Every structure is written in C-alpha cells, then in structure tokens.
Amino acid sequence: LLHPDLFKHQDQDAWGSWLAPGFAAVAAAAKAGDLRRALKEEAPGIYSFELFTPSFCDMLLEEVEHAQATRRRDLERPNGMNRYGIVLNQLGLEPLVTKLQQEHLMPLMTALYPEESTGPDDHHCFIVRYKAGEDVDR
C-alpha cells in the first residue's frame, strides 16, 4: 500500500483534508434545508459540486495505478464495458467508500431525492481510465 491512511479508520481530521473546502458549504446548506443554493444544476435534477481535494485525488490515483501494476490479475473489471478499471472495494477501500456514502453523501441524497434515498446501504464503486485507442470494439 502506498497510502495506508486510505485503508484504516478515517477520523474527522482525515476527512477534513480529503473533502474539498467547498463541500463544507454544501453540507451546511443541506443541514440548513437550502441545499440547492450551494449546488450547480447542470440539467434538471442533475447537480454538481466539488467533493475531493486534489491531494486526495492524487493519493487515490496512485493507489489505483499501483494496484494496476502489481495486482491486475487478481482484480475484476468493474463492468463489461471497461477493461481499464478497478472496483475500489477489491483494493480494500470499501470502508472508506461506505463512510463517505453514509456520513457525507446520504444527507445530500436525502435532501435532493427523498424517495430514492430511503436506504442505499451498498455500493459498487469503481474507477476507470479512458484513453484514446483503449476499450474500443475491433
């Protein structure tokens, strides 16, 4: 492992350095009942916001690239369309993704989509690489 902090219990200090500063405003707006003002609406019902810091993204990508280089044969593809991807749970990141989902994203899902968010308790989280000439039908 290159970044053991990603794989152990994450305290608030870790999340404070991994979540983008703008996410705090989004979370506060959700608690205040005014979430939509803190989001960018890309299309009707589709919202975006900054979630991770660049340093967290760098750590995650380094772990994924390391796994691709050292454990590729042991890892399943995330789906039938992507040969260049990894299921994050297989890397040992299920606790991190679960905590992100349950503690940080559920309040947003509940505020934006109350009917649909009545119980997400699982995830299939993966990352894929897109590059010209890869994952094309021949």
Side-chain angles (χ1 to χ4, degrees):
L1 302 177
L2 299 177
H3 302 285
D5 287 348
L6 293 175
F7 299 89
K8 61 184 182 183
H9 176 73
Q10 298 84 26
D11 58 20
Q12 283 308 113
D13 291 338
W15 286 106
S17 65
W18 295 347
L19 295 174
F23 184 74
V26 171
K31 284 183 183 179
D34 194 17
L35 178 58
R36 285 186 171 84
R37 74 169 168 77
L39 302 175
K40 179 178 179 187
E41 189 167 17
E42 303 291 347
I46 301 173
Y47 304 93
S48 67
F49 56 91
E50 187 178 24
L51 180 59
F52 297 122
T53 61
S55 63
F56 175 84
C57 293
D58 291 342
M59 283 194 312
L60 181 61
L61 288 175
E62 287 170 7
E63 284 295 342
V64 167
E65 289 168 359
H66 179 69
Q68 288 273 27
T70 61
R71 301 175 40 204
R72 185 63 191 137
R73 294 191 195 283
D74 301 331
L75 302 171
E76 296 175 14
R77 293 187 304 170
N79 56 49
M81 299 182 304
N82 302 105
R83 289 184 213 108
Y84 302 94
I86 292 180
V87 177
L88 296 181
N89 289 359
Q90 288 186 314
L91 296 183
L93 294 172
E94 185 172 4
L96 179 133
V97 175
T98 298
K99 187 166 184 130
L100 173 69
Q101 176 193 46
Q102 297 299 315
E103 294 185 16
H104 300 284
L105 298 179
M106 277 299 291
L108 309 183
M109 290 188 287
T110 301
L112 290 171
Y113 311 105
E115 290 180 26
E116 293 86 352
S117 66
T118 58
D121 58 359
D122 198 12
H123 48 76
H124 178 65
C125 204
F126 59 90
I127 189 168
V128 295
R129 178 181 78 200
Y130 294 101
K131 186 175 178 184
E134 291 182 347
D135 276 341
V136 294
D137 293 332
R138 295 180 193 249

